[in-house]
């Protein structure tokens, strides 16, 4: 299996080379030359596999340059009951009206990003050891990605993490989760500024090509192909968990920001998983809802991106969305490159003539949720089902209930646990969110963090000194 770019300008690459690359050299995103097809016989054979076994069957179709025994070993040590709290890894629960919640947030940082990031940590360590290389990750986070990356990379050979976060702007829980890590290869850098200032510094570091190659700088952001492919696995697992036979179809409802999670659902559907519809749920930052309703994609700047109570979806430029558009346009890289030239010029684009195809051929629909909807959903689910859901998952449940068709089974993806978003849970329920075992007293642990002004040179100097 070889990988090409959504903009058509990259010589095909192996899986191992693809996962160490950020953007493709032509500015596009990597995708396999074609999606492996999964037929009924394979679905039947896969239905009762454990999570790690299923992950192996799926990922080996994509990671063809990794010896199978090695891949199996990596997956066996990634998807364990010890890390995810249960043998099921991603159990489901059913609400009284039949909605299914797929639990994806039982990993070390209580958000679905652990599902892929834990795999990425083990995979990077393996690939780097094979190549005799080192990787120094410089990233920016507003909360969930940074902590998932740090917990996945802590103590790993050949990897250092320099994670920039906005000083004082994350929740106390999120701060404590990251800054309490004492591992020598994890570096927390708090920037006096906003998330966008952190992101600008990461871009400045990436654009300093001499620095980047001398210090082997890489990223772990949501466009990384290994993260997408690891997410494909739980769509299959969620399907098997929510149905009793491979004759059934389900729909998935996915809280979305960067389109990374639901992009994996699109790929699972293209592979042949019996998915009826893919429901994209946004918060007040509704660029994607606008696209699926009108065909118009108009990314917005930070001045028009609202700070909401589902903060991990406060995104107005969906980085993984380009992968879907590539498929929508019949995999025409030149056409995708032309559209993104419009995006880069601030104009966006209009695919209104493809609305029917998006719905009928690709199964996409969308909806949005507001702060008031979120509070109401958290209250209703708590009252009717005695389940406390987090703010992002609540956005998904709200939209799923709104668009549900008669007889449709909808699996709502749980993207975080409520303990991470304590303030909004208190606002909705007048009590504290349940805190999973092992997280008591997290905020009292000693913290390791260095504070800088929003200055890329200061960060580079720190990286240089830390790497000796
Ligand atoms: C990252 C994140 C999302 C958005 O996922 P995308 O892949 O960016 O669409 C939703 N909810 C939570 C809790 C997240 O951490």
């Amino acid at each position: 299996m070889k990988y090409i770019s959504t903009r058509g300008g990259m010589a095909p690459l192996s899986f191992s080379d693809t996962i160490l690359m950020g953007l493709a050299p032509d500015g596009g995103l990597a995708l396999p030359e074609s999606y492996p097809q999964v037929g009924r016989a394979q679905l039947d054979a896969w239905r009762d596999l454990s999570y790690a076994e299923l992950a192996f069957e799926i990922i080996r179709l994509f990671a063809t340059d990794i010896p199978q025994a090695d891949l199996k070993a990596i997956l066996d040590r990634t998807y364990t009951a010890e890390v995810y709290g249960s043998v099921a890894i991603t159990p489901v629960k059913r609400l009284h009206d039949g909605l299914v919640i797929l639990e994806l947030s039982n990993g070390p940082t209580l958000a679905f990003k652990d599902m892929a990031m834990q795999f990425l940590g083990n995979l990077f360590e393996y690939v780097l050891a094979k190549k005799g290389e080192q990787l120094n990750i410089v990233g920016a986070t507003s909360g969930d990605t940074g902590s998932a990356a740090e917990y996945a990379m802590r103590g790993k050979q050949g990897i250092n993490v320099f994670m920039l976060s906005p000083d004082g702007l994350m929740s106390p829980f999120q701060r404590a989760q990251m800054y309490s890590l004492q591992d020598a290869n994890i570096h927390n850098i708090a920037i006096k500024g906003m998330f966008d200032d952190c992101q600008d510094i990461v871009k400045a570091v990436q654009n300093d090509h001499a620095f980047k190659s001398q210090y082997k700088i890489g990223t772990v952001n949501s466009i990384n192909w290994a993260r997408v492919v690891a997410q494909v696995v739980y769509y299959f697992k969620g399907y098997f968990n929510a149905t009793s036979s491979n004759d059934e179809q389900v729909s998935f409802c996915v809280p979305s920001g960067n389109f990374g999670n639901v992009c994996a659902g699109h790929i699972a559907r293209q592979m042949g998983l019996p998915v009826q519809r893919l429901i994209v749920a946004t918060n007040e930052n509704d660029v994607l809802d606008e696209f699926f309703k009108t065909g118009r994609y108009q990314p917005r700047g930070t001045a028009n991106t609202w700070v909401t109570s589902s903060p991990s979806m406060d995104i107005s430029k969906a980085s993984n969305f380009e992968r879907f558009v590539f498929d929508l346009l019949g995999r025409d890289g030149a056409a995708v490159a032309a559209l993104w030239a419009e995006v880069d010029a601030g104009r966006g684009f209009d695919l209104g003539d493809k609305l029917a195809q998006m719905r009928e051929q690709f199964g996409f629909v969308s909806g949005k949720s507001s702060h008031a909807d979120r509070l109401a959903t958290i209250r209703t689910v708590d009252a009717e089902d005695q389940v406390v859901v987090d703010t992002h998952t609540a956005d998904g449940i709200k939209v799923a209930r709104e668009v549900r068709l008669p007889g449709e089974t909808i699996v709502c993806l749980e993207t975080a646990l409520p303990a991470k978003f304590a303030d909004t849970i208190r606002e909705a329920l007048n009590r504290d969110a349940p805190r999973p075992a092992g997280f008591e007293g997290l905020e009292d642990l000693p913290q390791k963090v260095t504070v800088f002004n929003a200055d890329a040179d200061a960060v580079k100097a720190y990286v240089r000194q830390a790497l000796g």
Side-chain angles (χ1 to χ4, degrees):
M1 173 74 74
K2 294 282 187 190
Y3 291 83
I4 55 174
S5 163
T6 49
R7 300 199 189 165
M10 178 176 84
L13 283 184
S14 70
F15 178 81
S16 299
D17 290 335
T18 303
I19 61 159
L20 291 174
M21 176 183 80
L23 285 178
D26 63 357
L29 307 185
L31 272 179
E33 282 178 318
S34 64
Y35 297 121
Q37 293 302 298
V38 173
R40 177 61 190 250
Q42 257 162 320
L43 287 179
D44 289 346
W46 290 358
R47 175 163 278 277
D48 297 320
L49 297 183
S50 72
Y51 196 95
E53 289 166 341
L54 180 64
F56 173 65
E57 293 301 331
I58 293 170
I59 296 176
R60 77 192 177 104
L61 303 173
F62 294 96
T64 50
D65 66 334
I66 297 185
Q68 300 213 355
D70 294 356
L71 181 64
K72 180 134 189 23
I74 292 169
L75 291 164
D76 283 345
R77 65 171 186 275
T78 300
Y79 296 109
T80 65
E82 201 186 354
V83 174
Y84 292 96
S86 75
V87 177
I89 310 292
T90 58
V92 294
K93 54 186 172 234
R94 233 167 259 272
L95 303 186
H96 72 285
D97 64 347
L99 276 194
V100 179
I101 309 284
L102 177 62
E103 294 185 26
L104 300 175
S105 310
N106 297 318
T109 72
L110 313 184
F112 84 95
K113 292 188 172 74
D114 289 328
M115 292 304 303
M117 206 70 93
Q118 288 286 315
F119 170 61
L120 196 66
N122 289 327
L123 185 66
F124 271 176
E125 187 175 50
Y126 168 85
V127 172
L128 291 168
K130 274 228 144 162
K131 290 179 182 272
E133 286 175 13
Q134 205 189 336
L135 181 67
N136 298 304
I137 293 161
V138 177
T141 187
S142 57
D144 298 334
T145 306
S147 56
E150 291 189 354
Y151 281 76
M153 308 296 164
R154 61 189 296 200
K156 291 275 185 286
Q157 290 298 317
I159 303 177
N160 287 285
V161 178
F162 299 88
M163 192 57 67
L164 280 56
S165 52
D167 188 32
L169 294 187
M170 295 188 296
S171 76
F173 184 95
Q174 287 176 314
R175 237 180 355 244
Q177 247 189 338
M178 288 180 57
Y179 300 170
S180 66
L181 289 182
Q182 301 294 333
D183 306 72
N185 72 330
I186 302 295
H187 303 268
N188 287 301
I189 300 175
I191 297 294
K192 290 190 176 149
M194 308 280 289
F195 170 69
D196 289 310
D197 298 309
C198 301
Q199 191 70 50
D200 287 345
I201 293 173
V202 172
K203 278 190 199 136
V205 172
Q206 290 285 333
N207 286 331
D208 182 341
H209 297 287
F211 183 84
K212 189 178 169 188
S213 72
Q214 184 181 353
Y215 291 100
K216 311 275 179 244
I217 304 296
T219 60
V220 286
N221 51 23
S222 79
I223 58 160
N224 186 288
W225 171 252
R227 285 183 61 184
V228 177
V229 82
Q231 291 171 177
V232 169
V233 176
Y234 57 67
Y235 284 86
F236 280 83
K237 196 67 186 164
Y239 170 77
F240 293 133
N241 285 349
T243 56
S244 48
S245 120
N246 294 329
D247 295 327
E248 294 173 50
Q249 276 200 322
V250 305
S251 296
F252 288 97
C253 184
V254 190
S256 298
N258 258 324
F259 205 77
N261 194 349
V262 74
C263 182
H266 160 68
I267 292 169
R269 191 174 184 276
Q270 294 303 111
M271 291 171 70
L273 186 68
V275 177
Q276 187 178 349
R277 303 196 295 170
L278 291 165
I279 303 159
V280 174
T282 73
N283 64 15
E284 292 89 334
N285 296 298
D286 58 352
V287 167
L288 289 171
D289 182 43
E290 184 174 282
F291 174 75
F292 285 105
K293 291 223 163 82
T294 67
R296 172 115 201 99
Y297 181 61
Q298 180 63 67
R300 300 171 196 156
T302 40
N304 295 307
T305 303
W306 320 120
V307 175
T308 77
S309 46
S310 44
S312 304
M313 308 199 300
D314 291 347
I315 295 167
S316 293
K317 204 170 195 179
S319 20
N320 275 286
F321 178 59
E322 185 171 334
R323 288 191 161 109
F324 167 65
V325 173
F326 182 63
D327 287 340
L328 179 64
L329 298 182
R331 306 201 124 208
D332 180 345
V336 172
L339 292 184
W340 258 266
E342 292 298 299
V343 169
D344 291 341
R347 285 189 291 267
F349 55 77
D350 196 332
L351 293 176
D353 59 335
K354 301 244 180 298
L355 273 179
Q357 208 187 340
M358 285 181 221
R359 284 191 200 125
E360 285 147 32
Q361 185 184 343
F362 293 99
F364 273 100
V365 279
S366 69
K368 65 186 274 193
S369 169
S370 67
H371 182 69
D373 295 328
R374 204 166 292 136
L375 294 182
T377 305
I378 291 168
R379 286 187 192 117
T380 309
V381 175
D382 176 57
E384 294 176 346
D385 292 288
Q386 293 75 53
V387 172
V388 182
V389 293
D390 99 286
T391 53
H392 309 76
T393 309
D395 289 337
I397 293 171
K398 185 264 178 184
V399 171
R401 286 186 166 157
E402 197 170 74
V403 304
R404 191 177 185 189
L405 302 168
E408 185 179 26
T409 300
I410 302 185
V411 178
C412 291
L413 271 51
E414 171 208 77
T415 56
L417 290 193
K420 289 196 103 162
F421 304 97
D423 288 354
T424 310
I425 299 301
R426 225 171 282 125
E427 184 182 349
L429 301 179
N430 258 318
R431 60 174 207 269
D432 283 324
R435 189 173 275 223
F439 288 86
E440 307 86 358
L442 179 70
E443 290 90 336
D444 304 326
L445 297 173
Q447 301 191 352
K448 187 180 88 166
V449 58
T450 309
V451 184
F452 284 117
N453 288 323
D455 172 5
D457 289 329
V459 172
K460 279 193 243 177
Y462 177 92
V463 171
R464 226 179 256 123
Q465 198 211 338
L467 296 177

